[in-house]
């Protein structure tokens, strides 16, 4: 559950999940939605995969991401979207900023 | 733990909880700790456990994904799965809540209406989606 909190604590990752709620998307399509470097996006995808919130599948030459969230996790996402990070555990915030720093240096 | 093992463990735990609840109710009555109707207590416990079991099962429905090669419209399938899971979760929660809080005379019809309604909505959604897909295919 800690991994889920960590994944949901970052606004970029929450936006990725929001986009995937509509339909499965390729890694490229998702990356195009954000003004960040591809390695940073890869780091975000890795965190989401680690938390088992998305699944990646290779179709031809493309990697397609799709949502893999339980009802409870979706409720948590909506909660995090509505109230921001303040109500998430402190550890999750720290973990998120660490991931951000790692992504920036990558 | 894969989803099949989780399902088996969940089912066994559900059965064990039901049996445990019945024995606990009988024990409370036998020791005099509970003076009310023991059958009502059993019905309520079984209702709450069953409702929560439905929530537990429905909660993980969107996690069981089919390979994309076997899905004709992935976005559609994803929306349908999410709708079904959320409907059954709410139905299960209401079912458990009704057994926990409603007066005994109302508990049974309300519980059946809540979970039955959720199942009916689920079947309706599957039928409507199936029909619209068949129409789209011609």
């Amino acid at each position: 559950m800690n991994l889920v909190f960590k994944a949901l604590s970052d606004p970029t990752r929450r936006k990725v999940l929001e986009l995937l709620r509509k339909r499965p998307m390729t890694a490229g399509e998702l990356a195009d939605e954000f003004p960040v470097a591809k390695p940073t996006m890869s780091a975000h995808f890795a965190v989401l995969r680690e938390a088992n919130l998305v699944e990646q599948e290779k179709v031809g030459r493309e990697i397609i991401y799709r949502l893999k969230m339980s009802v409870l996790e979706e409720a948590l996402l909506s909660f995090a979207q509505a109230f921001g990070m303040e109500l998430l555990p402190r550890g999750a915030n720290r973990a998120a900023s660490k991931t951000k720093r790692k992504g920036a240096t990558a | 733990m894969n989803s099949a093992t989780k399902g088996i463990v969940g089912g066994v735990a559900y059965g064990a909880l039901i049996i445990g609840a019945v024995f606990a109710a009988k024990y409370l009555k036998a020791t005099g700790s509970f003076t009310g109707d023991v059958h009502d207590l059993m019905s309520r416990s079984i209702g709450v456990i069953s409702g929560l079991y439905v929530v537990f099962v429905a909660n993980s429905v969107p996690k069981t994904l089919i390979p994309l090669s076997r899905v004709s419209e992935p976005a559609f399938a994803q929306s349908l799965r999410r709708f079904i899971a959320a409907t059954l979760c709410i139905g299960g929660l209401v079912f458990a809540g009704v057994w926990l809080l409603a007066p005994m005379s109302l508990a049974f019809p309300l519980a059946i209406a809540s979970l039955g309604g959720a199942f009916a909505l689920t079947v309706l959604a599957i039928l409507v989606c199936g029909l619209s897909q068949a129409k789209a295919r011609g």
Side-chain angles (χ1 to χ4, degrees):
Chain A
M1 210 60 193
N2 222 7
L3 290 174
V4 174
F5 279 121
K6 175 185 162 186
L8 295 182
S9 63
D10 185 90
T12 306
R13 290 196 287 268
R14 290 204 296 267
K15 183 85 179 23
V16 169
L17 293 172
E18 278 293 318
L19 289 167
L20 289 177
R21 261 181 175 174
K22 290 175 198 148
R23 64 182 175 91
M25 292 172 91
T26 64
E29 280 175 325
L30 282 169
D32 289 344
E33 296 282 335
F34 301 93
V36 292
K38 291 235 161 126
T40 312
M41 276 316 283
S42 297
H44 284 309
F45 292 149
V47 174
L48 289 170
R49 274 200 317 270
E50 199 187 351
N52 204 21
L53 297 177
V54 298
E55 192 178 77
Q56 70 169 35
E57 204 177 316
K58 205 163 182 218
V59 177
R61 290 175 59 193
E62 284 179 324
I63 293 173
I64 295 179
Y65 281 95
R66 53 184 177 156
L67 209 59
K68 198 183 177 188
M69 293 178 89
S70 69
V71 178
L72 177 67
E73 286 161 352
E74 282 217 39
L76 277 174
L77 171 63
S78 305
F79 191 76
Q81 288 282 60
F83 298 105
M85 287 168 59
E86 292 78 21
L87 295 172
L88 291 170
R90 252 184 218 168
N93 291 352
R94 237 180 293 132
S97 44
K98 215 188 261 178
T99 315
K100 244 186 208 169
R101 275 202 302 275
K102 248 191 230 169
T105 51
Chain B
M1 201 189 290
N2 64 24
S3 62
T5 318
K6 257 186 197 170
I8 293 167
V9 170
V12 170
Y14 170 64
L17 277 173
I18 294 275
I19 294 168
V22 171
F23 279 116
K26 283 195 169 178
Y27 175 77
L28 289 174
K29 184 75 180 170
T31 54
S33 314
F34 180 74
T35 51
D37 188 345
V38 75
H39 291 290
D40 283 1
L41 181 65
M42 279 185 205
S43 302
R44 283 190 187 277
S45 329
I46 291 170
V48 171
I49 294 167
S50 301
L52 293 179
Y53 182 66
V54 171
V55 175
F56 168 76
V57 173
N59 181 50
S60 55
V61 164
K63 285 249 181 211
T64 36
L65 299 178
I66 304 162
L68 281 168
S69 55
R70 283 169 49 197
V71 186
S72 58
E73 287 182 53
F76 194 70
Q78 177 178 287
S79 303
L80 183 64
R81 208 169 25 242
R82 285 177 57 217
F83 174 78
I84 289 170
T87 307
L88 289 178
C89 264
I90 293 167
L93 274 178
V94 174
F95 185 89
V98 162
W99 276 112
L100 193 67
L101 303 168
M104 208 53 204
S105 56
L106 286 175
F108 187 73
L110 282 179
I112 290 296
S114 62
L115 201 55
F119 274 114
L121 212 56
T122 299
V123 171
L124 193 70
I126 292 170
L127 285 177
V128 168
C129 291
L131 282 176
S132 67
Q133 280 209 314
K135 219 176 180 182
R137 275 193 221 111

